[in-house]
Every structure is written in C-alpha cells, then in structure tokens.
Amino acid sequence: MCDICVLNSVKERMLSRRDFFRGSAAMAAGAGMAGIAAPTSAFAQAPQQVVDMTHELSEEFPTFGGVPGISYDKQFDFADNGYNLYVLTVNEHTGTHIDAPLHFSADGASVAEIPVESLACPLCVIDIRARASADRDTQVTPDDLKEWIATHGPIPDGACVAMNSGWAAKVGSDAFRGADAARGGSLHFPGFHIEATQMLLEETSAVAMAVDTLSLDHGPSADFATHYAWLPAGRYGIECLAGLDAMPAAGATLMVGAPKVRGGTGGPARITALV
C-alpha cells in the first residue's frame, strides 16, 4: 500500500472513532434526559478524607481485665523458612473491637451474623470531653442526646451513636483503665447511662453505639445495664474507638470492618470513617 494510501486510511479510522464517541456521548445524554437509569454515586457528596478510627493492637494495649489481650507464637521465621507466620491467641474483646449481640445474650446474633448493611453507619458524635475531664465516671445522658438532636436534627436511621470522652488520648497510661486499688480495684472511665441507652432503643433506629473507653457501661458499673439492654435488642457495640476528636458531630460515615468469625461474640475490628 502506498504511503499516501496508508495516511488516508489512518485518517478515516480516526474520524470514524471520533464520530462514534460523539454519538455515544449524545446517546448517554439523551438517555439521562429520558429518565433511563445511569450509575450514581453511593454518597450524595463524595467523602474527602478517610480517617483511621482503630488503635493498634499489641500486648501493651490496656484491657478490661488487666491482662494482655493478644499473644504471639512464631511458627515460621523468614531467615529460616523464607516467610514469617504467627499463631495468635486473641481475646475477642480487646483493642478497638465489636460487641456482638451474642456477647450479652444466650442466643443473640454472632459477630459473623451482624447484617453487612449495618456496618456502614452515619456517625453521630456525642461530645462529653469537658465533663469527663472533671468527672471520670460521668455518663452520656438523655439530655446529651436531646442537645445533639436539637442542634443536628434527628439521629439518622442505621446510625452509630458514639461517645467522645477524650479517653483515647489516655491509652498509653494507667488512666485509661482508671483502676482504683483503694476501691477494691474498680475501674473508672465514662460510658452510656442506661436511660440514654433506653432512649436510643425506644426513639431511634440506631444500630450501634460506640465508646472511646473499655466498656459501653461506665467503669464502676456493677450490673452492665447498658450491655444487657442494648446487645440483646439486636444492636451491636464498639469499644475503644479511636479518632473521635477528628470527627464532626454529624456528617461522617463509619465503616466497620467486623470480623466474620462463626459463633464469635465480638472481635478486634479495623474501623475507618469517611468524612
């Protein structure tokens, strides 16, 4: 084929492709105008930032019982075997973790049975840092919830309602557990008051509550009233949540990486927020 013939052939193909794409764009626009469904974003507004809401889990991370929540048994070593592999022994309720309904009920849903649609939650942050700095045993109350609602509107369906007490900053110190030997070793940190828990159960369709402390109930609790009310109702909890200081009071979406362990009452989770 002559050079000029080749050039003309290429030009024709390029024009043909350009006309094709122009036609495709016009068809797509026409389809949209005619009401034909087109792919849409999962978010009304695309998130601008992904924030890690998870503490790093290690043998040093404080636990409710005061003993390490994870241990490592190295089975294979890179120098000897060409790869590394540990067998981990992990307390289900250590580090940033999930409380499944089964944790405080005879036959509630396991962590693997939490509906996946409940693991992407509008995040509502109840900020009690000022009060908690003066009273380590303070609790989220119905008044706190009412104040949030008055400012931000109703708690969204499927929400996670989170307490920000400022306790995440205490993880590296004894103050995180607040163990008090003078009071029989009782713990001291904020949590949800049972009346606030009942309000959430009765007046909202929130699927989760979260705390930046070791327990949904405050440290001195002897009856775990919030656990026994919230979890058997089919809701789940998140404990030792990090990153709440960086969250807006409303508008973020929590993405909960719950472990899918058959029969598990909970488990460490990787949790992020989309803001």
Side-chain angles (χ1 to χ4, degrees):
M1 184 179 288
C2 65
D3 291 343
I4 189 62
C5 295
V6 171
L7 290 172
N8 287 335
S9 176
V10 170
K11 183 185 296 185
E12 288 174 2
R13 285 199 297 269
M14 290 177 65
L15 290 172
S16 177
R17 285 172 57 83
R18 185 167 62 187
D19 291 342
F20 170 79
F21 287 119
R22 281 178 177 170
S24 297
M27 289 176 64
M33 293 177 65
I36 296 176
T40 58
S41 171
F43 300 92
Q45 180 175 336
Q48 301 299 308
Q49 186 180 15
V50 180
V51 180
D52 194 350
M53 308 293 286
T54 315
H55 290 291
E56 184 178 69
L57 180 57
S58 71
E59 294 167 309
E60 290 75 39
F61 194 89
T63 62
F64 192 89
V67 298
I70 185 171
S71 63
Y72 306 77
D73 181 8
K74 194 166 193 179
Q75 301 287 301
F76 296 92
D77 182 76
F78 186 84
D80 298 327
N81 310 111
Y83 63 98
N84 296 307
L85 186 149
Y86 292 91
V87 171
L88 303 179
T89 301
V90 184
N91 183 317
E92 290 177 307
H93 299 274
T94 190
T96 301
H97 68 274
I98 304 295
D99 279 6
L102 185 59
H103 185 36
F104 269 71
S105 59
D107 57 359
S110 73
V111 69
E113 294 170 331
I114 296 174
V116 68
E117 59 269 20
S118 296
L119 300 177
C121 315
L123 179 62
C124 307
V125 180
I126 312 298
D127 192 337
I128 62 167
R129 285 177 291 180
R131 199 164 73 235
S133 66
D135 177 9
R136 59 183 180 167
D137 293 332
T138 193
Q139 300 177 75
V140 174
T141 67
D143 286 343
D144 294 318
L145 299 179
K146 292 173 184 176
E147 181 179 347
W148 191 97
I149 292 168
T151 303
H152 304 287
I155 291 172
D157 292 343
C160 175
V161 180
M163 173 191 77
N164 183 10
S165 67
W167 239 245
K170 303 177 186 289
V171 162
S173 71
D174 291 339
F176 190 74
R177 294 181 73 242
D180 192 341
R183 301 185 187 181
S186 61
L187 305 183
H188 296 275
F189 48 76
F192 275 84
H193 193 282
I194 183 57
E195 292 179 359
T197 303
Q198 290 168 336
M199 178 178 169
L200 290 173
L201 287 169
E202 295 168 5
E203 300 181 21
T204 79
S205 59
V207 297
M209 64 166 52
V211 293
D212 53 356
T213 61
L214 283 164
S215 175
L216 303 179
D217 290 275
H218 71 158
S221 174
D223 59 7
F224 297 100
T226 285
H227 276 86
Y228 276 114
W230 188 254
L231 299 178
R235 321 291 179 100
Y236 69 92
I238 303 170
E239 293 170 337
C240 300
L241 193 63
L244 286 168
D245 287 355
M247 290 297 101
T253 300
L254 203 65
M255 307 298 293
V256 183
K260 198 171 183 178
V261 179
R262 181 180 298 176
T265 72
R270 188 65 182 265
I271 300 176
T272 57
L274 307 179
V275 186

